[in-house]
Amino acid sequence: KNFNNYFGRIYQARYLAGIAAGLKTQSNKIGYVAAWGTENGEVTSGLDAFAMGAYSVNPDCEVYVKTTNSWFDPEGEKQAAEALIALGADVIGQHCDTTAPQVAAQEKGAFAVGYNASTLEAAPKAYLTSPIWDWGKYYTSEVERIINGTWKSQRIWAESSTGIVYLDKLSENCEPGTQEAVDAAKAKIDSGELKIFAGPLKDNKGAERVPAGSEMTDEEMWTMPWFVDNVIGTALE
């Protein structure tokens, strides 16, 4: 009775970050350094949302994945980013906890989307933007509920409209028109017009996963073991 499980729908901010990546790439190859493979549904859904955001503005782009099997591995993350750039990726995204992929991108003349923090200073010539958390929004609202006697135990998966997850300010490295595209997509997400995991959706083996007119449940997103069709990688199922 005195316990809450809370998280934010970071995949919504990742979708917006994918728009910045999709507009920036010239090679139509985007790299993605993932902490874990498809055994971690939160990582997979975030990657898929990022790939769909990129696809929404650039249907020709593909997202290539390298996995480090660690939340924090600066050396491994940098090596993964370098390997993706060697494959032709000119924009790097990430779901891991250091700036190493961004640094690698700058060293190799590529661009990068970060994670967790505004890290323009780490790679000023490469950094585009980052999906970021603001837990203060959650803590403030929960304390207010405790004070006014309306608090109750519940599972919370907060929408980006709450501000708990958001996209960092776009850097000057972004392509012209990126802000307008991001703003338009965010307005549709916040209004409910854009449901990121609504069908029709196919995986990268061609199988239909979400039919038209349907939407994935929260539980299905949490345990998502497959990649959408513009992701180049192997799902573990």
Side-chain angles (χ1 to χ4, degrees), residues 5-69:
N5 183 303
Y6 61 94
F7 205 61
R9 295 182 186 269
I10 193 67
Y11 67 85
Q12 294 176 335
R14 290 193 184 281
Y15 182 95
L16 301 178
I19 291 174
L23 289 173
K24 189 64 183 179
T25 180
Q26 296 296 309
S27 67
N28 287 330
K29 291 183 178 180
I30 299 170
Y32 197 93
V33 181
W36 303 99
T38 50
E39 71 275 11
N40 186 303
E42 195 263 323
V43 174
T44 305
S45 63
L47 164 55
D48 281 344
F50 177 84
M52 286 191 284
Y55 181 87
S56 73
V57 293
N58 182 355
D60 295 324
C61 72
E62 295 177 318
V63 179
Y64 291 71
V65 186
K66 293 285 185 183
T67 303
T68 63
N69 295 315

Side-chain angles (χ1 to χ4, degrees), residues 5-13 132-135 137-139 141-142 145 154-166 189-190 218 222:
N5 183 303
Y6 61 94
F7 205 61
R9 295 182 186 269
I10 193 67
Y11 67 85
Q12 294 176 335
I132 299 179
W133 298 88
D134 182 357
W135 292 115
K137 293 283 196 305
Y138 168 79
Y139 298 140
S141 65
E142 288 300 281
R145 291 187 181 97
Q154 59 184 320
R155 179 180 179 181
I156 295 173
W157 199 9
E159 303 282 345
S160 61
S161 58
T162 65
I164 290 176
V165 297
Y166 66 96
I189 291 171
D190 289 349
D218 285 355
W222 269 116

Side-chain angles (χ1 to χ4, degrees), residues 139-158:
Y139 298 140
T140 300
S141 65
E142 288 300 281
V143 170
E144 288 173 346
R145 291 187 181 97
I146 293 170
I147 291 171
N148 64 30
T150 61
W151 186 92
K152 62 180 181 180
S153 176
Q154 59 184 320
R155 179 180 179 181
I156 295 173
W157 199 9

Side-chain angles (χ1 to χ4, degrees), residues 174-198:
C174 290
E175 286 297 290
T178 301
Q179 188 68 65
E180 291 80 0
V182 166
D183 290 346
K186 186 178 188 309
K188 290 181 179 180
I189 291 171
D190 289 349
S191 71
E193 179 183 350
L194 173 56
K195 303 287 189 181
I196 294 172
F197 289 106

